Amino acid sequence: MTAVMISTMVLCFALTISVAVSIGLASVLGIQASNANMLISVKEMFGAINKFPLAAIPFFILAGNLMETGGISRRLVDFAKSIVGGVQGGLPMTCVLTCMIFAAVSGSSVATTFAIGAILIPALIKHGYPTSYAAALQATSAELGVIIPPSIPMILYGVSAEVSIGELFIAGFGPGILISGALMLFVWAYCKYKGWGKHDGDGRMPFGRALLKAGWALLMPVIILGGIYGGIFTPTEASAVAVFYALVVGMLIYREIGIKDLYAVLRKSALSSAVIMFIIANAGLFAFLITRAGVPDAIGHWLQEVLKSPAYFLLGVNAALFVIGMFIETSAAIIVLGPILAPVAAHFGIDPVHFGLIMVVNLALGMITPPFGVNLFAACTVARISLDRIVGHLLPFVCVILACLMVITYVPSLSLFLRDLVYAR
Amino acid sequence: MKSLFLSCERWSSAIAMGGACAMLALAATLGMFQILMRFVFEEPAEWTEVLIRFSLIWMVFLAIPMAFRQGAMVSVDVLYRWSPPRLRRVLDWVVCLAALALIAIIVWWGWDYARRGGVQSMAGLESVSMFWAYLAMPVGGLFSVLGIVGNLIDPQRHELETAQ
């Protein structure tokens, strides 16, 4: 039955049938093959999305879209520029820093690419950077959107592998700061070497004024994360607070969202959320069936025999996820693989929170690796260039992230230090 | 015939989508209300969580018709981008039939499940029957049929806009 399910799923993927439908059909065939009652299909689908923590996904998507429409991104760009924009190569560094801050209000990389790229890619081109470099830089920096909390893939991992979302969020800071730091250092050195961006500091706002203008936007991560770790509300409730904060700032303070925009924002958010949650529904059914057949345990035992030590296991998982990430979208990969791999990682004595971070960072890398990389598509759309032109400039960025991934994998304390500090008791 | 179907489908998908937006707005409002109840009035309401879950499930099933219609469902489209136009048309048909097969299961068994669930009441909101929560599946499924066929007749690909 398991063989039927997995081969059907892979075949459907290859035929460009959408991920949700592929997983659903494979499960339906699995039920048929094992002569079980078909009522299981709808029961498990419903059960998989009937979970309160999942409400954070539509809410964070809605909050992110409200912030994007509400003119937050432009103010954050000015703010980041006032900090790092003064040196040679300051504009690419601004891009990384803005993405890092925007990541703390949004849980999505694609939204980050569109919101920040729309402003910074044209600015980079105007300052003489090659278009393909600007697009590659933007696609890579936007990855931070899912690594720095709040993060939709982390919520998905938390729900599917039954790990605390609060702990995952706080564990994202170390890796997020590491990656931003490494990227900023890299673009700075690269610009020096290439001689680009000697006039990046032109038209920069003084720090104080930029801070004042971006203040309302910068307060949002403080409220959300402060609320979660201060024990005032759960991550799910924090997402509802984020929606109303973004709404109030966008409509009443910045006054850039009108009633007409509201329906468009709701519509876009409902659509994005439904696509993810429909995958979750089908993947829930799939996971139920393969767990009942004992597959995760079997894979676990097999992996334990083949890869004898945790270090080899992590290397193997990273290599596999890197390849999977090239073809499959991050959220879908996490929903399907999280429940299978997390128990195996636990067998090896790896902290499930640390393992979640490895999965998220690795699969986020999949967003910038062709042929299927959503950030690449988004950045190319904004920069109006074709996918093949971006690849050359992309390679060094991929190497930087890979190096960071290795550090994150083999230095668990980088992710777990803050978690242990906050959740010590 | 084609244009008549497409204009009917435009209406049905738009109605379903409107419902989905209303459900999202309702869920977000209830989320805020839940926090207010707990902090301001110090009276935690049990039923908000139940209603948030079920309104989001309705949102999912009412928004997937439009997701199918616009080709917004996430897929691995390597083969599609590398194939000539004629093969693409074949793939369109395969994708359409696969989606219809899954939706048929959801409509048929979802309705069966909803009818059986009629005797249960919602935990935390006892006066309401679970029928109304399960009903999202067959209703969303029926709207989806129109969306899926609509996309076959007039293909669109808006996958990027919904990716995370």
Side-chain angles (χ1 to χ4, degrees):
Chain A
M1 174 192 103
T2 316
V4 173
M5 284 171 64
I6 292 175
S7 45
T8 311
M9 183 177 75
V10 173
L11 180 72
C12 288
F13 279 172
L15 288 171
T16 71
I17 295 169
S18 64
V19 171
V21 174
S22 303
I23 299 173
L25 275 184
S27 312
V28 165
L29 280 183
I31 296 173
Q32 200 70 44
S34 62
N35 282 324
N37 191 340
M38 195 51 82
L39 210 57
I40 294 176
S41 63
V42 284
K43 178 173 176 285
E44 290 300 321
M45 265 188 213
F46 189 91
I49 49 174
N50 188 16
K51 290 180 181 144
F52 188 61
L54 284 178
I57 292 172
F59 292 169
F60 273 130
I61 291 177
L62 180 57
N65 284 337
L66 282 170
M67 295 233 110
E68 197 186 332
T69 318
I72 300 270
S73 33
R74 201 179 59 245
R75 291 171 175 85
L76 287 182
V77 169
D78 285 337
F79 175 70
K81 207 173 163 190
S82 78
I83 300 175
V84 294
V87 295
Q88 183 181 356
L91 208 53
M93 284 167 77
T94 304
C95 178
V96 178
L97 190 63
T98 314
C99 288
M100 186 182 157
I101 305 170
F102 195 79
V105 296
S106 137
S108 145
S109 296
V110 177
T112 311
T113 312
F114 278 120
I116 311 296
I119 302 168
L120 274 175
I121 291 179
L124 283 160
I125 296 169
K126 216 171 96 190
H127 278 77
Y129 292 91
T131 310
S132 52
Y133 178 77
L137 167 76
Q138 179 57 57
T140 313
S141 319
E143 234 190 65
L144 291 165
V146 297
I147 297 168
I148 291 182
S151 152
I152 287 162
M154 281 185 201
I155 299 170
L156 293 174
Y157 176 83
V159 172
S160 60
E162 292 175 359
V163 179
S164 148
I165 293 167
E167 290 186 28
L168 284 166
F169 275 9
I170 203 154
F173 278 108
I177 291 168
L178 172 77
I179 293 174
S180 337
L183 279 176
M184 278 201 260
L185 207 64
F186 169 71
V187 292
W188 175 75
Y190 197 70
C191 289
K192 281 257 169 187
Y193 167 68
K194 287 272 186 184
W196 288 338
K198 293 214 167 94
H199 305 285
D200 277 5
D202 298 356
R204 194 154 73 103
M205 235 184 245
F207 177 73
R209 222 175 95 216
L211 178 69
L212 215 64
K213 282 190 79 176
W216 289 106
L218 292 172
L219 203 59
M220 180 157 163
V222 177
I223 293 175
I224 294 173
L225 299 172
I228 296 175
Y229 298 113
I232 302 170
F233 32 71
T234 62
T236 315
E237 289 174 340
S239 60
V241 174
V243 170
F244 277 82
Y245 186 78
L247 193 68
V248 168
V249 171
M251 287 188 89
L252 302 179
I253 299 174
Y254 292 164
R255 293 171 189 255
E256 292 193 18
I257 305 176
I259 297 287
K260 269 189 207 141
D261 306 318
L262 215 52
Y263 184 72
V265 168
L266 268 176
R267 188 188 140 97
K268 198 174 146 194
S269 311
L271 210 54
S272 305
S273 325
V275 168
I276 297 185
M277 290 181 69
F278 192 50
I279 299 178
I280 300 174
N282 286 288
L285 169 62
F286 190 84
F288 170 80
L289 293 171
I290 62 167
T291 310
R292 206 178 55 166
V295 178
D297 280 344
I299 295 179
H301 284 301
W302 179 74
L303 280 176
Q304 259 170 325
E305 266 169 37
V306 179
L307 308 160
K308 294 211 165 49
S309 78
Y312 280 124
F313 167 71
L314 287 177
L315 197 67
V317 164
N318 269 322
L321 289 178
F322 182 73
V323 176
I324 291 167
M326 285 180 173
F327 297 95
I328 297 179
E329 206 255 344
T330 308
S331 309
I334 286 181
I335 299 162
V336 178
L337 297 175
I340 299 177
L341 291 177
V344 185
H347 276 298
F348 279 107
I350 299 161
D351 193 297
V353 173
H354 178 216
F355 188 70
L357 258 292
I358 297 173
M359 275 193 84
V360 170
V361 173
N362 191 322
L363 289 168
L365 187 57
M367 295 173 170
I368 58 163
T369 46
F372 187 89
V374 283
N375 277 9
L376 291 184
F377 299 157
C380 288
T381 312
V382 178
R384 298 209 184 84
I385 55 170
S386 67
L387 194 62
D388 44 293
R389 280 182 57 201
I390 201 174
V391 174
H393 278 295
L394 202 62
L395 197 64
F397 284 118
V398 172
C399 293
V400 173
I401 306 275
L402 266 180
C404 292
L405 176 64
M406 285 298 119
V407 176
I408 292 161
T409 306
Y410 291 108
V411 187
S413 54
L414 181 72
S415 318
L416 300 179
F417 164 73
L418 267 178
R419 198 250 345 223
D420 292 343
L421 207 68
V422 173
Y423 289 87
R425 284 131 291 150
Chain B
M1 183 62 200
K2 232 182 199 179
S3 59
L4 181 69
F5 175 84
L6 280 177
S7 61
C8 287
E9 178 277 326
R10 195 157 50 236
W11 273 99
S12 77
S13 296
I15 290 169
M17 198 61 218
C21 291
M23 287 297 160
L24 178 58
L26 175 71
T29 313
L30 284 170
M32 199 63 211
F33 180 72
Q34 174 172 326
I35 300 166
L36 279 183
M37 282 303 274
R38 210 172 62 223
F39 282 100
V40 184
F41 305 107
E42 291 179 350
E43 256 177 58
E46 257 179 38
W47 51 270
T48 48
E49 196 177 307
V50 184
L51 273 189
I52 290 172
R53 277 190 279 127
F54 292 144
S55 49
L56 287 176
I57 288 171
W58 269 97
M59 177 205 79
V60 171
F61 284 98
L62 286 179
I64 54 168
M66 190 58 101
F68 276 120
R69 175 65 187 95
Q70 299 193 336
M73 288 289 181
V74 178
S75 62
V76 184
D77 63 351
V78 181
L79 181 66
Y80 196 88
R81 280 188 287 131
W82 288 347
S83 50
R86 192 182 279 168
L87 186 58
R88 285 189 180 190
R89 205 56 201 146
V90 176
L91 286 176
D92 282 341
W93 273 93
V94 172
V95 168
C96 170
L97 292 176
L100 284 178
L102 181 66
I103 290 297
I105 300 267
I106 292 179
V107 171
W108 182 261
W109 293 99
W111 173 245
D112 191 33
Y113 194 52
R115 266 193 8 225
R116 287 166 199 248
V119 291
Q120 293 167 261
S121 62
M122 292 181 181
L125 198 65
E126 268 71 22
S127 55
V128 185
S129 154
M130 276 303 281
F131 174 78
W132 299 107
Y134 297 143
L135 191 64
M137 292 189 282
V139 170
L142 286 176
F143 278 112
S144 298
V145 171
L146 294 172
I148 294 165
V149 176
N151 190 47
L152 180 72
I153 299 173
D154 170 33
Q156 296 175 357
R157 293 180 81 82
H158 290 289
E159 207 177 299
L160 190 60
E161 280 149 38
T162 53
Q164 288 309 306

